[in-house]
Structures are given as C-alpha cells and as structure tokens.
Amino acid sequence: QVQLVQSGAEVKKPGASVKVSCKASGYTFTGYYIHWVRQAPGQGLEWMGRINPNSGDTNYAQNFQGRVTMTGDTSINTAYLELNRLRSDDTAVYYCARDRTWFPFDYWGQGTLVTVSS
Amino acid sequence: DIQMTQSPSTLSASVGDRVTITCRASQSISSWLAWYQQKPGKAPKLLIYKASSLEGGVPSRFSGSGSGTEFTLTISSLQPDDFATYYCQQYNRYRTFGGGTKVEIK
C-alpha cells in the first residue's frame, strides 16, 4: 500500500534551518511528483512547491523563493524539504503529498510539526 | 499565480441539510479542480477531482460542478461525519488552495 512517512517534530530557534523528510513506499517513487504543503495553527493550506524525483526539477511558490530547497534521494525513496532563516510565522505542520500531472494529491504524509521559538 | 477564493469561510448547518460551497479561480483553470476534506489533526482527504469526478470510496452525497472559474461542492444531505473543513485546490498550473470552509453544527 502507498505510504508517505514523515520525520518527527522539530523545535528550532529563529534564524535556524530545518530539514523534513518524507519516505515513500508502495509505489514507484520516480513516477510521481512530491509536493510540500504547510498549515499554520488554525490556518489554511499553503502550497510551498514540488519536486520531480525522476529529474530533480523543482518549482517553488513565490512566497518561499530563496528560502526553500526541495531534494530527493531515489536510492532510498525519500524527499526532503529544507527551509532556511526560520521565523516565528514558519511555525506550522508541514505535509508532503504526491501527484502526477493532471491529477490531484491522492496520498499525504502524516505531517511534521515545526515550531520556531526563541 | 492563480488565486482561489472560497466562500463562505464558515457555514453552520444541521444534519440532513443540503450544503453548497463555492470556489472561484482568478483565471480559467478548465476543470482542473479538486476538493478536499480535512478533520482536526489529520491530513486532507481527496473527495472530488477534475471538478466533478468522485474519488473512490467517497459517499455519493458529495458532488462537484463547474468549469472555467466558478466551482461548487455540494453535500446533498449533511451527515455527522461531514462536519469538517473543506478546501478547493487548482492543479491547472502548479497548485493553489482556497482559504477553506469550516462546516459547523448549527
């Protein structure tokens, strides 16, 4: 069965970086995009960007350009989200999700809470 | 960037009510629209894709319609399990979510 399993919760200080992982199983990792979506406490869903694990090509939302890096390791079927220069308003649950071209997100990770606090 | 505007942001309804949520895109997205349901502490769950196609296992009381820039999600007879937050998402170009609609018990 398809699973996306994310790394555990993180607590970071302002200005630091965080790296969240998303391990895929049950399907061909290189056949689907991996997207990252975040949700601040009590707020809506915000798309951050995506990676094509097959090519390594990425597309980032304008709000995160210059501060985010998405990578993938096809040898262990794992995608990564790195967010730099953290601020308190980056406190959120970060989700990974998969899709294919012209299809919506059909599987999601369980979410990773990142707390940014001094 | 394509902006998605959902309304209302909150909706109070009773079990058995017919509920309609609207989503508007800032430019045409053809039928590349999905609807998700999210419950507290959980990842969103896909309900509808390509504007009107029901995802497998989703009850038939959920339906979607629209194309271009105007879309609706309808729940024909609200059930206790349906009290949740609903999001639209465009996947015509990259991805954007609407702001969400929380369906509350009246």
Side-chain angles (χ1 to χ4, degrees), chain A residues 3-69:
Chain A
Q3 282 192 299
L4 298 173
V5 179
Q6 299 182 222
S7 49
E10 303 263 13
V11 179
K12 296 291 183 181
K13 293 193 182 302
S17 298
V18 69
K19 192 168 187 176
V20 179
S21 67
C22 172
K23 182 168 179 61
S25 61
Y27 73 97
T28 302
F29 181 59
T30 52
Y32 291 76
Y33 289 97
I34 292 289
H35 296 251
W36 291 91
V37 175
R38 78 177 185 180
Q39 186 169 38
Q43 301 302 309
L45 302 169
E46 182 177 24
W47 183 74
M48 300 179 69
R50 70 179 179 185
I51 181 168
N52 179 337
N54 189 45
S55 64
D57 289 345
T58 55
N59 301 103
Y60 301 138
Q62 199 164 4
N63 284 352
F64 300 98
Q65 292 272 3
R67 220 165 51 97
V68 70
T69 304

Side-chain angles (χ1 to χ4, degrees), chain B residues 44-104:
Chain B
K45 172 190 172 184
L46 177 64
L47 300 175
I48 301 282
Y49 63 97
K50 209 171 178 185
S52 60
S53 296
L54 196 66
E55 176 72 348
V58 174
S60 59
R61 62 181 179 273
F62 290 93
S63 64
S65 65
S67 67
T69 61
E70 298 279 340
F71 302 88
T72 58
L73 172 71
T74 300
I75 309 172
S76 60
S77 177
L78 199 64
Q79 298 302 300
D81 191 48
D82 302 338
F83 291 98
T85 301
Y86 295 84
Y87 294 93
C88 61
Q89 178 211 38
Q90 68 81 17
Y91 53 104
N92 179 69
R93 178 167 170 76
Y94 304 133
R95 306 292 180 267
T96 318
F97 290 94
T101 297
K102 184 176 183 180
V103 177
E104 297 181 327

Side-chain angles (χ1 to χ4, degrees), chain A residues 55-95:
Chain A
S55 64
D57 289 345
T58 55
N59 301 103
Y60 301 138
Q62 199 164 4
N63 284 352
F64 300 98
Q65 292 272 3
R67 220 165 51 97
V68 70
T69 304
M70 296 176 189
T71 56
D73 185 338
T74 57
S75 68
I76 55 171
N77 292 348
T78 300
Y80 300 92
L81 166 74
E82 185 169 21
L83 189 61
N84 302 315
R85 302 191 300 279
L86 289 168
R87 309 183 295 249
S88 58
D89 62 358
D90 291 317
T91 294
V93 175
Y94 290 76
Y95 293 101

